Amino acid sequence: MSKSNSSCSLALFERAKKILPGGVNSPVRAFVPYPFFVKRAMGSKLFDADGHVYIDYCNAYGAMLFGHAYPDVMEAVKTQLANGTLYGVPTEQEVVFAELIKQASPCMEMLRLVNTGTEATMHAVRVARGYTGRRKIVKFEGCFHGSHDNVLVKAGSGAATFGVPNSLGIPDETTRNTIVLPYNDIAAVEAVLEQEGNEVAAIIVEPVLANVGLILPKTNYLAALRKLTVKYGVVLIFDEIITGFRLALGGAQEYFNITPDMATLGKVLGGGFPVAAFGGKAEIMQTVSPVGGVYQAGTFSGNPVSTIAGSTMLCLLLQKRNELYPQLEKTACELSKALVDLSKNYKLPTQICNIASLYQIFFTDQPVTDYACAKFSNIKMFNAYFHELLKHGVFIPPSQFETCFTSIAHSSKDISGTIEVFDKALAVASKVE
């Protein structure tokens, strides 16, 4: 993006830097020289302050499964707005929403609504500790579970992008009870549980790593985690903030046919509005206040605007699942195949990963199976690829350590146009030394 044709975005960025750290409200939105500022979005497109149009494969980091401003969701929200936005007391709609979540998500016997993925994972960990009476948790390198203290250790997403996986401001004594292991290494998990299993409350994992690029679980890895956690009485938490409703209606639980003890959900769940959930076995969730001793609260939790948006989204998914998920996967496979073929044409060292409606390219000649492998990717090549895509109106997350997403709004014209731009972008990347 050149300064000459993005003067409005540049001016907005200069203003933003004076009041927002780095000019953004989330570090993953920052890129050099400056991000474009969006005025509106519709379907598969973003429209920026300078009149540029982008085909969007970021999709609000996976949240927009139906694309932007989906009519059914927008109409439901408009109807609710006429009746108020926040009550601070229960509504029938939040019960309906929770029932729909339970219907879709295999492990959700009981759940609690919250507002963000960070809240969901934070409370899930707290509940697991309260239920087991144990202090330690296990997480995996490159897994991003939000920005709360217990899990911001060797994390993915922005933490990986900016090389600050251990944030300042987190006391050593907080992370002392967080054990970090390499993903896809079941022997490492078994060794830790053999030694410290009676002290470990929970293992929390992204079933598919989607905050450090895209890394798939090895065959039987998740099943082995399930078996070990049962053996040692450890709560298995699937962090499905991204994979929930993306891999399938029932997320990774349905896709891999594995039921954890607890799960966290977000992004797609809200249909473009802020809502998340954590839940699992009723026995575990009965420890949550007011019936149990694990405290959790939130003024905006279960608010009527987010719950009507989410309910509308889940009803659509339940109705359209048989046609929707194959369509999303077909689009991701078509884009992935194009990247494979074009990489060969330009003799580029790349690994193309895809599953369901997610895909990503790594600029490396080695298979990417964990965070350590991902870090060997050629970031200069990725940056050249990203900026050339942007120049030609295709927007993906601006980091090697994120994931691209398809939506049902992406048309055949979008896909063919994107593949043409892939060709230009990989040609540029191939010239990076």
Side-chain angles (χ1 to χ4, degrees), residues 42-43 64 66-80 270-273 305-320 324 408:
M42 181 66 65
M64 310 309 294
F66 281 83
H68 297 282
Y70 194 72
D72 292 33
V73 175
M74 300 303 288
E75 285 304 314
V77 169
K78 288 177 183 177
T79 299
Q80 176 56 46
F273 288 81
V305 176
S306 291
T307 54
I308 193 66
S311 295
T312 304
M313 170 63 66
L314 292 191
C315 285
L316 288 166
L317 292 176
L318 285 162
Q319 294 166 11
K320 298 174 180 287
L324 183 146
I408 65 164

Side-chain angles (χ1 to χ4, degrees), residues 141-143 183 205-216 371 403:
E141 291 181 345
C143 280
Y183 181 73
V205 62
E206 285 184 89
V208 174
L209 270 62
N211 282 288
V212 63
L214 180 64
I215 302 177
L216 309 186
Y371 181 41
T403 297

